[in-house]
Amino acid sequence: MQGFHGQDSVMTRQPLTAAPLTRRGFLAAGVLGGAALVACSRSTPPAPTGSAPDGIAAAEAARPHTGKTVTARLSPGPADIDLGGTHARTLAYNNTVPGPLIRANVGDTIAVTVDNGLDHDSSVHWHGIALRNDMDGAAPATPNIAPGAGFTYTFTSPYPGTYWAHPHTGLDTDYGLYVPVIIDDPTDPGRYDAEWIVMLDDWTSGVGSSPEEIFNGLRSMGMGNMGGHDPMSGMPGMGGMGSGTPGVGAGATSDLLGDDGGDVSYPYYLVNGRIPPAATTFTAKPGQRIRIRLINAGADTAFRVALAGHRMTVTHTDGFPVVPTEVDALLLGMGERYDVIVTADDGAFPLVASAEGKNAVARALLSTGTGSAPDAGFRPPELTGRVGTVDTFTATPQVLPPTTSDLALQARLTGSMMDYDWAINGRPYDQAVPLTIEQGQHATLTFANSTTMWHPMHLHGHTCQVIKADGTPGPRKDTVIVKPMQTVTVRLVADNPGIWMLHCHNGYHMDAGMMTTLNYTG
Ligand SMILES: [Cu+2]
């Protein structure tokens, strides 16, 4: 590793980070300090086969345009970030974590100039936005930005919603490089009094092992060079045991995720860039209706989120409206977003994001009056109440797509923890056979998980209609959790030509090769 990554050597593990090694997982606290590094695997994208610039221009012409332009500037580079008394030498946009909010209306031209201050190629991917393919911020559709170079992403969003942006290059997803992106609908009456944007993250950069060390550790551990993992793990066909086996190994498991919470135990879990003892406080008045926009920017952690003393009414999943549904808590995989409305009570209330299956919490505070919040490790009872998952919600009727299908696409999720060879349809990204679709087709896309890990699967450039196991419509999503041995089917309409990434949003699974493309061929 060259440049800044090489400075990631001071490890100041704090007492509160004593999270155990997850069963077959990896502790992000420098335990591999003496381990030999194996070569990084950097995937080579397959050759473009159907980028169709005319089609991209036509799709852009069909999007709404207000004539207004919103500009922003992002400067990815080395940064010294205060996580709340603990400083991390890391990578960030504009020296802040999260980076600056980007906000525009539907149809506005969004022009974001990126000056790459990193020592390696970067990009900015506009997660969830059904934008023009050549501004997606993922190669090969958009070229990466070389060190010292600049690029201006110029696009419009056809839909309002809660989105976010991050690089689509290597392991940069596990640094501080992320910003919230909010697209407003000016005709939306907005029945709320205050808005709270909440970004969740798992954190190691600058305080524990670097993401590169973690990845190399997972690869070498997978090859049997490190003890502590269950030799039966990752065996295809073993998923039947996946209903959580507390007490096995040193780590916790998650019933909601089907077994292991993730591959990595992090030193810290953050809400809006802060550790629990130094949590940020959102101030409102009692009785106000607060719209909370929850975004999971983590690399290997699902969060179960609850606001102490409150129920949450879920209104949107991945930007799209759902039939309003009350829950006590919500499960978010990496890349997922949920919007909720709460009616604020009087007092001080922790918003707690429990790292699912990892025995640790992140948090922020809601303050509407007097009173003090409980200690930093407090877990509100709401966390074990009614927990909303993808199966809980249904898109509102006006966003349901057509129910016919003339194409069946299959993405089998393959690989094992033992070999750390995560792939789609048995092929890592550098050997991927793209899925293909034609403009105008209505497709079903089936994710069939044949592994013993859960995977948050993300498709660029489209939103999908989840079909529940009983055949009824679920929510609209661009990122959906697929549990071990589970099959999840979604519908999509081919209305946005280009070459679109389809991948697991676990940063380590993705870098190992769990990624392919959906290519428009006509
Ligand atoms: Cu995965």
Side-chain angles (χ1 to χ4, degrees):
M1 281 298 129
Q2 53 176 336
F4 179 72
H5 285 142
Q7 299 167 20
D8 222 6
S9 57
V10 178
M11 293 157 190
T12 55
R13 193 164 170 231
Q14 303 297 307
L16 73 99
T17 68
L21 189 69
T22 61
R23 184 161 74 99
R24 25 199 227 252
F26 182 80
L27 187 66
V31 295
L32 285 188
L37 297 184
V38 298
C40 284
S41 127
R42 284 291 178 273
S43 304
T44 309
T49 55
S51 50
D54 290 350
I56 292 172
E60 181 59 25
R63 291 186 180 87
H65 290 89
T66 62
K68 190 183 159 210
T69 298
V70 173
T71 61
R73 188 169 280 268
L74 291 180
S75 301
D80 192 311
I81 301 297
D82 181 5
L83 304 175
T86 294
H87 286 255
R89 185 85 181 140
T90 185
L91 309 178
Y93 291 120
N94 305 14
N95 295 306
T96 64
V97 175
L101 168 66
I102 294 174
R103 182 160 217 155
N105 283 336
V106 167
D108 287 351
T109 296
I110 300 165
V112 183
T113 299
V114 178
D115 304 303
N116 185 6
L118 303 169
D119 65 7
H120 52 274
D121 283 3
S122 192
S123 70
V124 180
H125 166 57
W126 309 95
H127 183 119
I129 297 181
L131 80 180
R132 55 183 304 153
N133 184 239
D134 53 6
M135 293 292 159
D136 188 48
T142 319
N144 289 332
I145 309 169
F151 181 77
T152 300
Y153 294 89
T154 306
F155 58 94
T156 57
S157 175
Y159 306 114
T162 300
Y163 303 100
W164 64 299
H166 59 80
H168 220 272
T169 46
L171 294 169
D172 281 358
T173 181
D174 208 6
Y175 287 84
L177 296 161
Y178 52 86
V179 305
V181 181
I182 307 298
I183 306 295
D184 293 305
D185 177 358
T187 67
D188 182 347
R191 295 185 183 86
Y192 51 93
D193 308 304
E195 179 191 61
W196 188 9
I197 300 171
V198 171
M199 293 196 89
L200 313 169
D201 193 16
D202 43 20
W203 191 275
T204 184
S205 168
V207 297
S209 302
S210 72
E212 284 72 20
E213 288 171 327
I214 292 171
F215 184 73
N216 292 332
L218 288 166
R219 294 283 271 201
S220 57
M221 181 168 63
M223 291 183 284
N225 294 337
M226 187 174 166
H229 70 285
D230 176 353
M232 294 303 289
S233 71
M235 295 288 283
M238 295 301 291
M241 62 189 280
S243 59
T245 46
V248 176
T253 58
S254 163
D255 286 342
L256 285 180
L257 295 172
D259 196 1
D260 281 351
D263 302 349
V264 182
S265 251
Y266 285 80
Y268 294 115
Y269 299 89
L270 311 180
V271 173
N272 291 343
R274 305 289 279 189
I275 59 176
T280 59
T281 298
F282 184 80
T283 304
K285 294 187 175 69
Q288 281 191 319
R289 288 164 56 84
I290 305 169
R291 180 177 190 163
I292 308 177
R293 298 178 184 262
L294 298 163
I295 303 168
N296 185 349
D300 180 71
T301 305
F303 288 97
R304 190 192 299 210
V305 182
L307 178 62
H310 293 75
R311 298 202 92 197
M312 305 185 289
T313 301
V314 177
T315 61
H316 298 75
T317 59
D318 293 356
F320 281 78
V322 294
V323 176
T325 305
E326 272 205 357
V327 298
D328 297 302
L330 265 176
L331 179 72
L332 287 90
M334 297 80 81
E336 289 193 285
R337 292 91 60 214
Y338 280 89
D339 291 15
V340 306
I341 298 274
V342 299
T343 302
D345 207 340
D346 190 353
F349 309 95
L351 176 88
V352 176
S354 172
E356 184 70 16
K358 297 191 176 185
N359 285 331
V361 296
R363 81 160 174 186
L365 299 172
L366 167 65
S367 174
T368 63
T370 55
S372 57
D375 67 85
F378 174 72
R379 290 170 173 272
E382 285 80 3
L383 284 172
T384 52
R386 186 190 189 204
V387 184
T389 67
V390 64
D391 294 329
T392 310
F393 307 104
T394 304
T396 53
Q398 60 266 36
V399 295
L400 287 176
T403 53
T404 57
S405 171
D406 42 33
L407 177 68
L409 300 168
Q410 182 83 6
R412 213 158 38 83
L413 314 182
T414 57
S416 71
M417 195 68 194
M418 184 184 290
D419 295 325
Y420 220 74
D421 57 347
W422 306 113
I424 293 176
N425 292 330
R427 291 171 172 271
Y429 182 52
D430 58 3
Q431 301 162 34
V433 175
L435 305 179
T436 60
I437 197 168
E438 291 177 21
Q439 172 79 17
Q441 281 188 314
H442 296 175
T444 57
L445 168 59
T446 300
F447 298 104
N449 187 352
S450 63
T451 81
T452 58
M453 291 293 296
W454 70 283
H455 304 285
M457 298 305 299
H458 174 48
L459 173 63
H460 291 203
H462 301 75
T463 63
C464 300
Q465 173 67 58
V466 174
I467 306 301
K468 294 181 183 177
D470 64 2
T472 61
R476 290 283 293 260
K477 300 281 293 165
D478 54 65
T479 309
V480 63
I481 289 173
V482 187
K483 292 187 284 191
M485 305 311 287
Q486 186 189 23
T487 295
V488 173
T489 297
V490 302
R491 287 203 194 101
L492 65 112
V493 177
D495 60 359
N496 197 12
I499 298 171
W500 298 102
M501 310 310 297
L502 173 67
H503 64 91
C504 175
H505 220 283
N506 180 307
Y508 296 94
H509 295 187
M510 181 181 168
D511 209 48
M514 200 168 209
M515 178 158 68
T516 187
T517 57
L518 174 64
N519 293 359
Y520 280 59
T521 56

